[in-house]
């Protein structure tokens, strides 16, 4: 637990895809108000996965634990639906 909190507070974070640990850190970063654009994955295929808005419902065969989706932390305290405009 301590490791994830410490890792989530860095200026940038480079995690592993697919890793539920890295996904959790991504969610914590979102809760802290940090942009998903400062999170990267180490694998070339998925390096910039967090740099764009993705609705989990639009990804066929998507596993929620593989990565974090901005919809998990965007606009959670408001009355508006999350959207890529606020990403």
């Amino acid at each position: 637990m301590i490791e994830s909190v410490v890792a989530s507070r860095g200026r940038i974070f480079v995690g592993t895809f697919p890793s539920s640990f890295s996904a959790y850190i991504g969610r914590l970063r979102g809760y802290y108000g940090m942009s998903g654009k400062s999170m990267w994955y180490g694998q070339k295929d998925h390096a910039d996965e967090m740099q764009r808005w993705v609705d989990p419902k639009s990804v066929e065969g998507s596993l929620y634990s593989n990565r974090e989706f901005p919809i998990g932390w965007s606009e959670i305290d408001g009355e508006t639906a999350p959207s890529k405009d606020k990403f």
Side-chain angles (χ1 to χ4, degrees):
M1 181 68 172
I2 298 296
E3 296 88 353
S4 56
V5 171
V6 170
S8 70
R9 298 301 288 175
R11 188 172 50 86
I12 63 168
F13 175 72
V14 179
T16 303
F17 184 94
S19 164
S20 57
F21 182 70
S22 292
Y24 180 63
I25 291 170
R27 181 169 289 229
L28 285 177
R29 292 174 65 79
Y31 289 157
Y32 294 139
M34 302 171 114
S35 172
K37 296 179 181 180
S38 63
M39 181 174 169
W40 303 85
Y41 288 118
Q43 298 85 336
K44 289 182 182 179
D45 305 10
H46 301 284
D48 62 348
E49 193 87 14
M50 293 300 292
Q51 308 304 307
R52 59 190 180 278
W53 176 272
V54 177
D55 185 344
K57 297 174 199 158
S58 69
V59 181
E60 190 173 326
S62 173
L63 297 174
Y64 288 105
S65 64
N66 281 3
R67 58 158 286 174
E68 195 49 61
F69 296 93
I71 201 168
W73 69 79
S74 299
E75 303 295 316
I76 59 174
D77 295 327
E79 294 184 15
T80 59
S83 71
K84 63 181 175 183
D85 298 334
K86 305 242 173 148
F87 179 61

